[in-house]
Amino acid sequence: MPGLTSAAGVVGFLSEPEPELQVFALKVLNEEIDALWTEVAGSVGDIEALYEDASFPERELAALVAAKVYYNLQEYNESMIFALAAGKLFNIDHEGEFEDTIISKCVDTYIALSGSEPVNNTNQPPPQLTTAFSSTANGASSISAGLASPTTPFSQSTLPSKSLLSRQDSTTTFDPSLQAGSNANLPGALPASVASQASVQKQLYAIIDELFERCFQGGSYRQVIGIAVEARRLDVLRRAILRASEDEKKQRKAENAGLVRGQELMEYVLEICMNVVQERGFRNELLRLVLDLLNDIPSPDFFSIAKCIVYLNQHSMASDMLVQLVKKDEPKTTAIAYQIAFDLYDNSTQEFLKKVREELPKVPEPPAAEPLDTQDRMQEEASEPKESDQLLKELNDSAGASASPSGNEQDKKQEEIPAEAQKAFDSIRTILSGTKSIELDLEFLFRSNRADMAVLNKIRDCVEARNSIYHTAVTLATAFMHAGTTNDTFFRQNLEWLGKAVNWSKFTATAALGVIHRGNLGQGQKLLEPYLPKDQIAGANPSSAYSQGGSLYALGLIYANHETFALDLIRDHFKKATEEVVQHGGALGLGVAGMATGDESIYEDLKGVLYTDSALNGEAVGIAMGLIMLGTGDIKALEDMIQYAHDTQHEKIVRGLALGMALIMYGRQEGADELVNGLLDDPDPILRYGGIQTLALAYCGTGSNKAVRKLLHVAVSDVSDDVRRIAVMSLGFILFRKPSSVPRMVELLSESYNPHVRYGAAMALGISCAGTGLDEAIDLLEPMIKDPTDFVRQGALISLSMIMIQQNEAMNPKVGTIRKTLLKAISDRHEDAMTKFGSAIALGIIDAGGRNCTISLQTQTGNLNMSGIVGMAVFTQYWYWFPLTHFLSLSFAPTAIVGLDQDLEVPSFKFYSATRPSLFDYPPEQETKHEDAPEKVKTAVLSTTAQAKRRAQKKEKQQRRESMDIDQTPTTPKTAAVDDKMETDEPAPKLEDGQETEKVDGEKKEGETQPEGAKKRMEKEKVGYHLENMSRVLPAQRKFISFPDGRYQPVKKPTGGVILLTDTTPKEPKSLMEMKAKKTVKPAAAPTTLQDQVNEAIGQQEAAGGDTGGAAEAAGVLTAVDEDVEGGEEAEMPQEFEYFSDPDDEAGTGDE
């Protein structure tokens, strides 16, 4: 039939009593509905009546026509319902806009229906805080007000977000929380027919299953996984992964190839878990599913299993996996076990690692080694079940062996552990303790140190050391620039400058030794021995309390996040200390060294000092309590801290407790919501400040939309400038995994009228974009360098250094200009002190760790870097307390690839980088200008004088020519003409040697010609070069790294850090790299008077020829008692003041 121009006649057939005419009309309309739907829309009720008539033979056809009419009317909900009722007539294989739209609508409805079903959540609800907060503290006066607010409140009673991704979509996206009935008329609610009619739901699931089958047949497994994750259907997710593995088995049945597709899909699910899923409970369910599937694979990906285990905090599974790998007694599996142990150390807490170490099998000690009087006790203990006994029992059960719970059989099984296996277990314990990783990082930083001393000397010369803020700035720059390198020669070479440190400057300078020697586990205590508190001896001069407190802080930094004897040593000094400064340093040292241990006894010691209500040490104690309980979510600790924060009158204590509570809620996500709500509703701005910090640390790295919305709301609405500043700054913590999104988000905030908001925007860019060299962030920060407010300029300079760390001219052409800007700010005598302070810190950050460290808030494997995030969070509090600046060193991550063989030794071999050498090379060092600047000023003359000289020379030359004089023309005038800097009439002569031109105009040479020369060198360079083991490899360079050496091959894809290698020819002799970092350290002599200490330190330097360490020589200066301390040494009486004046000046004054 030709195309109809009008549907009037056909529509009339719908009212006929004969079913044949009605069927005929429906068939015609079905084919021509796109052109005639406007005329048919008025009769859609008749079509629906035909569908509802049970006796009508073509009900499905009527439903299909009704679906198409509603589709053209853009009533997609009704269209989908009738399309589902059409049954087989709705063909999803037919390609068309109608089919695509209905399928999309079906998927959205499927997700909404699945989300509305009750989920068997195995996670227990977070325990309720018993605090002084009101029960209605939910961020809104009512639920309706909360829903209408642009920022969703964080209470447990709020409605969940519209989808797993928390996206704000149009009405086409259903809200799984809005059910049919009273909410049916709300936007996003499920249609009542879908929610109530089982037949419609059955047809919907049939369509979705058919759609999934089509995806399986086409190999589009990721689409099914995406829908399953969005709908929270773990059964569909399991089915998709298993189906992918089965299909691959069928395809490779004739081949002996390994299965790849299933593992790739599980890696894809892991990526979704870490980067997309924002709800912690559902993320854990996904990880458990992936873990079960990985364990079912014959040759599973152990590294993915380890990643799941860390996130789920399953220490027993970690120890079981390590035991299974070692028991296989194969070189490769042992290397994999070592690699997993290194990854566990990088990604786990001290508490987790301690439990894994305890669960590894141990060889029982021989009875003969025990005293005779303890034999009975040993026999009693042997009859009791132990953790290792239970572990071995489970391992034997899994292997099919029968196990008896008796202690004697367990002892026999322990004795049966082969010597090689026991050696491997001991090596794993060493790795899990962190000793091996720390030693390797220290060795790399020591041997690759490229710190530029000229920059430090310039900073020292440009600021006045008598000013404490400037002295502290130089100290911090030195600490950051030499972090982890053990190179403290700057202190040794500047003892007189160091002696000007007093009070808290001395505290910070002593603590800087901990940053410089961080990881020096073997010599750390010996280095700080002269500084540590000592028992008072009658008649002996006491050392400075500030150096004693700084030494405890430094000891904690050296052994940061590494639970060793140092923790007990610091704790002992802390408990004995009576002076507040020593307690302050001891508390900070305890917190850093005992980070995330959850040690209740240390917490109680700290709480006892807190209750003395001392403002000086209360802030440090509050932070330390949070560091000890980091990420535990301990309710009792939170209640104690909240109660005391309301009771005390000291702002410093409240500020320390606020940050401590935020640290306790690190990574807790939804579990911190109640605390966040309570703190944000508190009238005290310091506690609201802590609420924002809690929100930032609880959701750090998640990219949570609701957290971002809350921060943006507070950033523009709170009445406190401090709260608004931290709210904007916290965006960096939430979004550091998506750095490119931050500049766009803070672009308007960076132009705010409020300088605190501008500062927060600058720091948010630095935190989130650290080490990326992101151009968009730099474009926003460059105008802020010239901001009228000094602390905004300070924040802009610090953030620029964070972003530009380890960048060179080839990677980012602006790095040279930014380095000049930093040096210019520190040398400008008209610049404010705060800006100079920020510039000095920035110069230390941009060359951190001898130019071998970057700032990283996530580990090499992509997990959250706990110590890095905590270090950055506490570092931002330098705004209130300068000594906390040292915490930034916890965020410094060495950028190296260190290859280890199966014996955990460092072999000498080379790997390949498929790039030009200059692309990731070190930036050039600062050029030191010689003392020739005054000479240039002396040779400058007026242009009129130069012209007169030139005319005289021409006249003399003309006279000689006339007289036919053949004497040589003197060269002196030429030299003067060349050196004449004010001459502009004639062009400067072109010199063949570029060195003289560089001397004349060094700035122009450095700023303009150097990049062009660098580009020419890059064009001439060959692509690809070899690197020695333990070489610097930047994060952006890792994708170009390969291991062409036939002997050593990595057990996993290189991700930076420690890489275990398999030796393909183990019988051949191997060459090892020499470890250079291990050296002896000489302690300093006991202090006497200040002058004697300085003289003795200088004498030691001359006698030893500079062999002693800077820490030992600086001890004589830093341990001196400050003259203004009560009970300290009295200062000498000043001599009579004499004023010498110039006689000419006096005469001039008299004339006036």
Side-chain angles (χ1 to χ4, degrees), residues 788-824:
T789 308
D790 53 358
F791 61 79
V792 177
R793 298 196 296 273
Q794 179 192 77
L797 293 174
I798 293 176
S799 296
L800 279 173
S801 67
M802 291 182 181
I803 296 172
M804 283 299 188
I805 190 171
Q806 286 197 325
Q807 300 283 314
N808 59 17
E809 293 280 355
M811 299 170 68
N812 195 314
K814 291 184 178 181
V815 66
T817 306
I818 290 174
R819 285 179 177 271
K820 288 181 183 178
T821 303
L822 296 175
L823 288 171
K824 182 180 178 182

Side-chain angles (χ1 to χ4, degrees), residues 161-458:
S161 51
K162 284 193 173 182
S163 75
L164 186 65
L165 310 183
S166 301
R167 64 188 179 205
Q168 293 290 345
D169 207 339
S170 63
T171 56
T172 58
T173 300
F174 296 119
D175 191 334
S177 62
L178 298 178
Q179 302 299 318
S182 60
N183 293 336
N185 295 325
L186 294 176
L190 286 173
S193 55
V194 176
S196 60
Q197 296 183 16
S199 59
V200 176
Q201 291 189 19
K202 182 179 179 181
Q203 187 62 30
L204 173 66
Y205 289 137
I207 291 289
I208 295 298
D209 288 340
E210 187 178 352
L211 182 64
F212 287 167
E213 188 61 32
R214 285 180 56 193
C215 292
F216 291 151
Q217 294 175 0
S220 302
Y221 301 101
R222 295 196 176 194
Q223 283 82 339
V224 179
I225 288 176
I227 296 174
V229 172
E230 190 82 12
R232 299 167 176 258
R233 293 294 300 267
L234 300 183
D235 56 336
V236 176
L237 184 61
R238 178 188 292 271
R239 171 186 160 197
I241 295 176
L242 295 178
R243 176 66 180 271
S245 301
E246 292 174 1
D247 292 346
E248 191 175 12
K249 286 180 182 178
K250 294 177 182 178
Q251 293 177 3
R252 301 192 175 190
K253 192 172 183 180
E255 304 176 6
N256 292 326
L259 299 180
V260 179
R261 188 177 299 167
Q263 294 185 8
E264 289 180 351
L265 288 178
M266 280 184 276
E267 291 178 1
Y268 177 64
V269 174
L270 278 177
E271 184 180 355
I272 291 177
C273 284
M274 300 306 121
N275 301 326
V276 178
V277 179
Q278 297 182 359
E279 185 181 340
R280 189 180 184 187
F282 181 56
R283 177 186 299 169
N284 290 344
E285 292 180 8
L286 281 176
L287 290 173
R288 291 190 188 96
L289 172 63
V290 173
L291 195 57
D292 293 341
L293 293 173
L294 284 171
N295 288 326
D296 293 339
I297 299 177
S299 57
D301 182 4
F302 292 103
F303 302 109
S304 298
I305 294 177
K307 186 179 292 188
C308 295
I309 288 173
V310 170
Y311 271 101
L312 295 173
N313 199 27
Q314 298 290 332
H315 53 85
S316 298
M317 298 182 69
S319 58
D320 290 345
M321 181 174 61
L322 292 173
V323 169
Q324 291 174 9
L325 288 170
V326 172
K327 287 293 183 64
K328 291 184 179 180
D329 197 19
E330 297 177 2
K332 186 171 183 180
T333 57
T334 304
I336 291 175
Y338 290 159
Q339 184 68 67
I340 290 174
F342 278 111
D343 292 345
L344 288 175
Y345 172 74
D346 289 337
N347 299 294
S348 307
T349 63
Q350 293 190 49
E351 184 181 13
F352 181 91
L353 296 171
K354 184 177 181 180
K355 291 179 180 178
V356 175
R357 292 198 304 269
E358 292 174 351
E359 291 174 353
L360 291 176
K362 294 182 181 179
V363 174
E365 297 180 1
E370 295 292 332
L372 294 176
D373 57 352
T374 61
Q375 292 298 323
D376 296 336
R377 180 175 57 83
M378 291 297 295
Q379 290 176 3
E380 292 178 2
E381 291 180 355
S383 61
E384 298 177 357
K386 301 179 181 179
E387 264 189 324
S388 56
D389 299 341
Q390 180 66 20
L391 175 64
L392 288 176
K393 177 181 180 299
E394 293 176 357
L395 289 173
N396 285 277
D397 287 342
S398 62
S402 60
S404 173
S406 64
N408 294 331
E409 290 192 17
Q410 296 297 335
D411 291 340
K412 291 179 181 179
K413 290 177 182 178
Q414 286 186 348
E415 292 174 1
E416 293 174 0
I417 299 177
E420 293 184 0
Q422 187 57 47
K423 180 182 177 182
F425 289 136
D426 293 339
S427 299
I428 290 175
R429 287 191 189 90
T430 304
I431 296 171
L432 292 175
S433 68
T435 305
K436 195 66 179 177
S437 296
I438 294 173
E439 287 179 356
L440 293 172
D441 288 342
L442 184 74
E443 176 66 26
F444 163 70
L445 294 175
F446 175 78
R447 66 192 303 145
S448 304
N449 182 20
R450 297 286 291 272
D452 193 351
M453 297 297 293
V455 175
L456 281 179
N457 293 329
K458 184 174 180 63

Side-chain angles (χ1 to χ4, degrees), residues 600-635:
E600 291 285 348
S601 58
I602 298 179
Y603 171 80
E604 292 296 329
D605 292 341
L606 292 168
K607 189 170 69 171
V609 176
L610 175 69
Y611 286 165
T612 61
D613 203 41
S614 168
L616 187 59
N617 55 30
E619 183 176 16
V621 168
I623 296 173
M625 291 166 70
L627 289 171
I628 295 295
M629 294 294 177
L630 179 64
T632 60
D634 191 285
I635 297 299

Side-chain angles (χ1 to χ4, degrees), residues 873-981:
V874 182
F875 160 73
T876 58
Q877 303 309 299
Y878 81 88
W879 178 279
Y880 302 103
W881 193 235
F882 285 156
L884 297 180
T885 313
H886 285 311
F887 269 82
L888 183 62
S889 62
L890 301 180
S891 301
F892 294 160
T895 53
I897 287 184
V898 182
L900 297 182
D901 60 11
Q902 289 98 324
D903 299 327
L904 297 182
E905 295 176 331
V906 185
S908 177
F909 78 102
K910 293 183 179 181
F911 51 89
Y912 184 75
S913 175
T915 59
R916 294 185 177 90
S918 61
L919 182 58
F920 299 105
D921 198 6
Y922 289 96
E925 293 188 359
Q926 175 69 22
E927 295 182 1
T928 56
K929 294 185 178 180
H930 301 286
E931 298 295 333
D932 55 354
E935 297 179 2
K936 294 181 181 180
V937 176
K938 293 179 181 179
T939 56
V941 294
L942 296 175
S943 58
T944 55
T945 306
Q947 291 176 359
K949 286 183 179 181
R950 188 168 61 251
R951 284 195 297 269
Q953 292 170 6
K954 288 182 179 179
K955 185 175 180 181
E956 182 181 358
K957 187 175 182 180
Q958 185 177 3
Q959 290 176 356
R960 290 188 178 185
R961 286 180 179 176
E962 292 176 356
S963 60
M964 299 299 292
D965 191 356
I966 60 173
D967 291 343
Q968 295 181 357
T969 304
T971 59
T972 305
K974 283 188 177 182
T975 306
V978 171
D979 292 338
D980 185 9
K981 296 198 66 171

Side-chain angles (χ1 to χ4, degrees), residues 174 514 561 702 981 1018 1124:
F174 296 119
N561 200 18
T702 62
K981 296 198 66 171
M1018 286 184 62
D1124 57 349

